Amino acid sequence: DQQVKQNSPSLSVQEGRISILNCDYTNSMFDYFLWYKKYPAEGPTFLISISSIKDKNEDGRFTVFLNKSAKHLSLHIVPSQPGDSAVYFCAASAMQGAQKLVFGQGTRLTINP
Amino acid sequence: KAGVTQTPRYLIKTRGQQVTLSCSPISGHRSVSWYQQTPGQGLQFLFEYFSETQRNKGNFPGRFSGRQFSNSRSEMNVSTLELGDSALYLCASSVPSGTDTQYFGPGTRLTVL
């Protein structure tokens, strides 16, 4: 039973354009969502998060949108840069402070020059 | 501030052996969580320790155990290793401050032969 799903295993985007990564969840108890970026042989790096009381959070080139009614969140990267090529994981937690993250399977983003 | 450190980075064991992995959290972080990453199952939560107590546990067999010391450093142990235990084991630390933003170490790559 996969509670957090990233349905696109891979995404290819031109440098300078917008990258949109999607994530769906099924557990309505999730109230905190995070995006992590991972390079091979390294641990995930925290990018941005959003609480369920918000529908948008922005940090530089990264914006996360949350649609609670659709149980859907997305990460927008604008403009995309070659260094953004990595695997992106969506994660969620129920009961804030529980420190138990449920991860999606990841989307491999490739930025083409 | 130094990040999360994990030792060793790579480990090769044979079936039936036991292994201990170590994690030092970011200074000031009191919560340490452990995750297993495999190609088939993705990133899965193992357990979380706070103030030397296990607060949360994932769906792993009792062969997987851990502990936390008074300086917040943590160890996880896997006994009677099986081939399927081959994975990247990630440690993450957080303050925690009421949110679940966790910061990951580089991981320990365990190979069971």
Side-chain angles (χ1 to χ4, degrees):
Chain A
D1 172 32
Q2 212 170 340
Q3 299 183 68
V4 178
K5 297 180 186 178
Q6 293 176 256
N7 292 318
S8 299
S10 63
L11 177 67
S12 187
V13 174
Q14 207 72 20
E15 181 180 357
R17 306 293 290 267
I18 183 172
S19 295
I20 300 176
L21 296 101
N22 294 302
C23 179
D24 297 298
Y25 61 97
T26 57
N27 189 341
S28 56
M29 297 299 291
F30 287 147
D31 58 6
Y32 192 65
F33 304 89
L34 309 91
W35 284 94
Y36 286 85
K37 169 178 163 180
K38 189 178 185 301
Y39 294 117
E42 293 184 15
T45 301
F46 170 72
L47 278 175
I48 192 168
S49 62
I50 187 167
S51 165
S52 59
I53 62 173
K54 295 185 175 182
D55 53 20
K56 177 183 174 181
N57 189 25
E58 222 171 327
D59 184 1
R61 296 187 299 114
F62 302 93
T63 303
V64 57
F65 294 92
L66 175 63
N67 182 334
K68 287 188 292 293
S69 59
K71 294 191 176 67
H72 176 84
L73 64 156
S74 60
L75 174 68
H76 293 209
I77 306 173
V78 183
S80 299
Q81 300 173 354
D84 295 331
S85 295
V87 178
Y88 287 77
F89 290 95
C90 164
S93 78
M95 197 172 81
Q96 245 184 19
Q99 307 301 320
K100 177 179 176 178
L101 296 179
V102 179
F103 282 85
Q105 293 291 90
T107 296
R108 180 176 300 280
L109 175 65
T110 303
I111 306 300
N112 302 306
Chain B
K1 198 183 261 191
V4 178
T5 58
Q6 292 186 244
T7 55
R9 291 293 311 275
Y10 302 91
L11 208 46
I12 299 175
K13 292 284 188 179
T14 56
R15 277 180 300 174
Q17 287 187 309
Q18 68 94 27
V19 67
T20 299
L21 312 181
S22 181
C23 171
S24 292
I26 292 170
S27 177
H29 285 195
R30 296 169 61 196
S31 170
V32 174
S33 300
W34 289 88
Y35 293 82
Q36 180 197 64
Q37 185 182 23
T38 58
Q41 299 297 320
L43 268 155
Q44 291 189 292
F45 174 78
L46 279 156
F47 30 65
E48 184 245 349
Y49 286 86
F50 177 75
S51 291
E52 302 176 63
T53 302
Q54 186 183 90
R55 288 200 305 185
N56 280 294
K57 191 176 189 308
N59 296 326
F60 280 82
R63 299 185 298 107
F64 291 82
S65 63
R67 60 178 176 167
Q68 186 180 35
F69 302 95
S70 58
N71 62 358
S72 296
R73 192 177 69 86
S74 177
E75 289 181 346
M76 70 162 278
N77 184 78
V78 188
S79 62
T80 320
L81 284 165
E82 300 176 0
L83 295 179
D85 297 334
S86 294
L88 180 67
Y89 289 89
L90 291 158
C91 165
S93 76
S94 63
V95 176
S97 60
T99 64
D100 293 313
T101 302
Q102 297 177 17
Y103 298 87
F104 284 82
T108 294
R109 171 72 63 185
L110 171 65
T111 302
V112 182
L113 302 176

